[in-house]
Amino acid sequence: MIRLDGLSVAIGGHPVLDGVSLDLAPGTITGLVGESGSGKSMTALAVMGLLPRRAQASGRVTLDGRSLLDLPERAMCRIRGRRIGMIFQEPMTALNPLMRIGDQVAEVLRLHKGLGRAAALAQARERLDRVGLSAPRFPLALYPHELSGGQRQRVAIAMAIALRPGLLIADEPTTALDVTTQARILALLRSLARQEGMALLLITHDLAVVAGMADRVAVMKSGRIVESGPTGAVFRQRRHPYTRQLFAASRHKPARSPRPAAAPLLEVRDALREYRLTGGSLRALDGVSLTVGRGESVGLVGESGCGKSTLARAVLGLDPLQGGRIRLDGLDVAAGSRMPPGLRARMGAVFQDPFGSFDPRWRVDRLLAEPFHLTARPADWRDRVGAALAEVGLGPGDARRFIHEFSGGQRQRLALARALIIRPALIVLDEAVSALDVRVRAQVLDLLARLQADHGLSYLFISHDLSVVRGIADRVLVMQAGRIVEEGPPEQVIGAPRHDHTRSLVAAMPEIPAEWRQGRPGGSGKHALPPPP
């Protein structure tokens, strides 16, 4: 259906894609893997006709034999959504913050099918139900900011599949999703491809997801496809050195020594937090209690919307509790301006989206020095900025650059430098590595382990990726519906879970078949996924 033949793209004379060739046949799933900046998303944008204005494209992109690169914008508008759909990686920027979710899904149906508002909303309700946002908990009247990151991604998926396109491009569609929701979404996408003859181009850095989903895989590096073929053959043989590097990084665990039990630094007791929503209320925290010892790393895992980020905001003093208490170093953590600057300086934070957490108008030196307003800016603050950059593997010359000049992995290193610059005792990491490709993720996890050993830091590491938590945490807490349902060492919680919810999380973890990892022939590689919702 879709063929890319020698597709090359240059921006400002700089080559971005170099001779990319792919065949995307109806009913087949093709995985496109590679690290950040390899050209995966640019390939998708070329197919969609959404390249930057300064981009020069050559080669061919054909849909049923018809060239797309030469089509005028009006003709491409008729193709986008109806013939080719796309799921973007960051749902908050892909959704309109001023429109209700029902109207956003209905808009696709109204534009392409000419439906009235009532009929379009009825079909939008069915599409949202199918991706797991069912009534009455998720009414059509909700706005994007009233949903978690994973729930927003499901709205974006509902929009992309609203018209059952012939080709669906999924650009990191499950990066923000927990493992059980990821499994349901992947099962849904796979059923659409199989049952409706839809071609699916799955762009991801997760090799385990590709192993369980894709019929064929293409490995991309520096704008070129360096290896491609049937998924099983590529994963077993790994002929190209870069493919072997990706495999090694996907299994990487940082070298760190488990921390013995120490005196508590952070104490959360019976935390209670409720939100008022349209048509009712949601208890995000329902009597949560936990401790983080000095120098200890505690992992907090759970499904999207279970209350992990609400707890992080409460610990950081950004969200008030309606019951219970939080203490750091024996002092009560209060929300807002009531929290003393000295106590706030004892905590740092690293968020999922580093680009969104920095002011793009400021240079790096000013961004990293921002926390000094809590402690008074020292005379040698520039030297401290340089030292912080060196600690995270960047150079002093980076201090005068802007945030848009860095890759995703480098931005996350800058977020770590900003969190470290006033030497906090506790760092809260909220999905800090979920958006990173496997090689950059391995580097950041090594960095976290080294910084913890050097400075005796305590981590509250919030993630939906159990494999990452297993390598970085001394203890793991599992959260469900605002409560901690299981706690213990990673080997016990992940290796021999006791609670039903933990078992469901572990069962949903995608894995590369052992025979593929070891280069042995055999095995389908299709891990079991729950049926589509």
Side-chain angles (χ1 to χ4, degrees), residues 264-282:
L265 172 70
L266 173 71
E267 297 177 90
V268 180
R269 290 286 175 262
D270 302 319
L272 179 66
R273 182 71 171 102
E274 283 190 352
Y275 294 103
R276 291 184 179 179
L277 300 177
T278 304
S281 63
L282 172 66

Side-chain angles (χ1 to χ4, degrees), residues 225-258:
I225 292 179
V226 298
E227 188 169 1
S228 65
T231 305
V234 171
F235 277 31
R236 283 195 301 267
Q237 296 165 5
R238 302 193 287 276
R239 291 193 174 99
H240 197 276
Y242 180 68
T243 309
R244 295 194 289 271
Q245 292 170 12
L246 291 180
F247 260 75
S250 70
R251 304 183 67 184
H252 179 77
K253 291 185 179 180
R256 59 185 303 273
S257 301

Side-chain angles (χ1 to χ4, degrees), residues 36-350:
S36 177
S38 63
K40 306 187 302 297
S41 294
M42 194 61 66
T43 301
L45 294 178
V47 173
M48 293 290 290
L50 296 175
L51 288 171
R53 292 187 178 183
R54 296 175 57 211
Q56 299 88 39
S58 59
R60 288 176 60 80
V61 178
T62 57
L63 169 64
D64 296 332
R66 182 186 186 188
S67 175
L68 298 183
L69 293 181
D70 304 325
L71 286 183
E73 177 63 17
R74 183 179 293 273
M76 283 302 301
C77 284
R78 290 193 292 269
I79 291 174
R80 295 188 200 111
R82 179 179 290 274
R83 298 298 312 282
I84 306 175
M86 185 165 178
I87 305 166
F88 295 93
Q89 178 175 353
E90 179 44 62
M92 197 59 181
T93 56
L95 299 176
N96 188 332
L98 302 180
M99 288 180 65
R100 302 177 191 274
I101 62 172
D103 289 328
Q104 298 199 52
V105 179
E107 184 180 38
V108 181
L109 299 162
R110 298 183 70 181
L111 285 174
H112 287 279
K113 296 178 70 173
L115 298 179
R117 186 169 188 270
L121 285 174
Q123 291 195 25
R125 176 73 274 165
E126 185 271 331
R127 302 297 193 270
L128 288 168
D129 288 346
R130 190 165 189 190
V131 298
L133 298 179
S134 54
R137 182 179 176 186
F138 298 99
L140 300 179
L142 291 176
Y143 287 95
H145 73 269
E146 297 180 278
L147 302 174
S148 70
Q151 292 161 354
R152 287 193 289 263
Q153 188 64 292
R154 283 186 265 180
V155 175
I157 292 171
M159 292 173 62
I161 66 172
L163 293 170
R164 303 290 194 269
L167 168 67
L168 180 61
I169 302 173
D171 190 358
E172 301 283 6
T174 59
T175 293
L177 304 182
D178 60 81
V179 288
T180 53
T181 304
Q182 172 181 264
R184 295 190 198 101
I185 293 300
L186 292 175
L188 170 61
L189 294 176
R190 190 165 65 183
S191 71
L192 288 170
R194 303 292 189 235
Q195 297 170 13
E196 303 186 22
M198 180 182 72
L200 174 62
L201 178 61
L202 179 64
I203 299 172
T204 181
H205 60 252
D206 193 328
L207 299 180
V209 166
V210 172
M213 283 284 291
D215 305 297
R216 298 182 61 83
V217 63
V219 181
M220 182 170 266
K221 181 180 187 294
S222 302
R224 296 184 179 186
I225 292 179
V226 298
E227 188 169 1
S228 65
T231 305
V234 171
F235 277 31
R236 283 195 301 267
Q237 296 165 5
R238 302 193 287 276
R239 291 193 174 99
H240 197 276
Y242 180 68
T243 309
R244 295 194 289 271
Q245 292 170 12
L246 291 180
F247 260 75
S250 70
R251 304 183 67 184
H252 179 77
K253 291 185 179 180
R256 59 185 303 273
S257 301
R259 295 274 175 167
L265 172 70
L266 173 71
E267 297 177 90
V268 180
R269 290 286 175 262
D270 302 319
L272 179 66
R273 182 71 171 102
E274 283 190 352
Y275 294 103
R276 291 184 179 179
L277 300 177
T278 304
S281 63
L282 172 66
R283 180 163 289 190
L285 299 179
D286 189 7
V288 172
S289 296
L290 62 89
T291 63
V292 179
R294 299 180 187 276
E296 185 184 28
S297 181
V298 173
L300 181 64
V301 301
E303 292 182 316
S304 174
C306 71
K308 303 187 304 294
S309 293
T310 299
L311 178 61
R313 289 194 298 270
V315 168
L316 292 168
L318 302 177
D319 211 355
L321 295 178
Q322 290 148 339
R325 67 191 306 181
I326 299 174
R327 295 172 69 85
L328 181 74
D329 259 347
L331 300 175
D332 285 326
V333 173
S337 58
R338 295 183 296 128
M339 187 172 175
L343 183 59
R344 192 180 291 279
R346 299 281 291 156
M347 293 186 285
V350 180

